[in-house]
Amino acid sequence: MSSYINAQHVFLDNPATTVDEVFAFLSDKAVELGISDDRDAVLEAFKAREALGSTGMTGGFAIPHAKTNAVKGAALAAVKFTNAIDWKSMDGEPIKAAVALFAPASDPTTYLSLLSKVAVLLHEESFRTAVFATNDPAVIATLVEAGLD
């Protein structure tokens, strides 16, 4: 099994109300978790990617991703929000959770592989239902990891 996410990378009841607040939170966590030493570079990478098109998917999930060499190694984080966020999504529904990807720009193969696997995972109703049904960070991390294998 890969090791891109663990229970410490899962955040519940996040009070963010805007996409920018989500990006700021994720950038702060990237530094706290040792994924990066440069919060601002990660934040700018999230914003730059979002400017290309919304990372809001379907079924209440988003997949924000930051590709920058300020990231030391590929990692994922999962966030469940206290209240749904108005985030342009493919189905027009608000976003209730996100699986975020952090990746070094120097490793596009891993970046694209993880992004593809997470996107497929977020389209699986059983995954979305299971994430929304639990408030156990370890269970959420295991659900994400299982989708990467």
Side-chain angles (χ1 to χ4, degrees), residues 4 67-69 73-76 101-118 148:
Y4 295 106
K67 182 173 67 169
T68 171
N69 282 327
L76 298 170
L101 168 60
F102 306 89
S106 60
D107 188 2
T109 302
T110 300
Y111 166 76
L112 290 173
S113 174
L114 284 173
L115 182 59
S116 173
K117 288 177 181 180
V118 173
L148 302 178

Side-chain angles (χ1 to χ4, degrees), residues 13-23 25 79 81-85:
D13 297 320
N14 181 278
T17 59
T18 67
V19 175
D20 284 341
E21 288 177 4
V22 174
F23 293 162
F25 173 81
V79 185
F81 305 111
T82 305
N83 298 298
I85 296 174

Side-chain angles (χ1 to χ4, degrees), residues 90-129:
M90 295 171 130
D91 60 5
E93 295 298 317
I95 300 300
K96 299 182 270 185
V99 176
L101 168 60
F102 306 89
S106 60
D107 188 2
T109 302
T110 300
Y111 166 76
L112 290 173
S113 174
L114 284 173
L115 182 59
S116 173
K117 288 177 181 180
V118 173
V120 168
L121 185 61
L122 297 185
H123 278 94
E124 293 180 14
E125 186 175 346
S126 60
F127 170 80
R128 295 190 314 266
T129 300

Side-chain angles (χ1 to χ4, degrees), residues 16-90:
T17 59
T18 67
V19 175
D20 284 341
E21 288 177 4
V22 174
F23 293 162
F25 173 81
L26 290 168
S27 300
D28 290 340
K29 291 302 176 186
V31 172
E32 288 176 28
L33 295 168
I35 295 167
S36 176
D37 293 327
D38 189 341
R39 177 213 187 262
D40 293 339
V42 173
L43 179 61
E44 287 309 309
F46 276 123
K47 288 181 176 182
R49 171 54 193 86
E50 197 71 17
L52 297 174
S54 179
T55 55
M57 301 292 283
T58 61
F61 273 87
I63 182 172
H65 38 289
K67 182 173 67 169
T68 171
N69 282 327
V71 169
K72 298 174 187 178
L76 298 170
V79 185
K80 287 175 67 175
F81 305 111
T82 305
N83 298 298
I85 296 174
D86 184 20
W87 192 324
K88 291 181 185 174
S89 62
M90 295 171 130

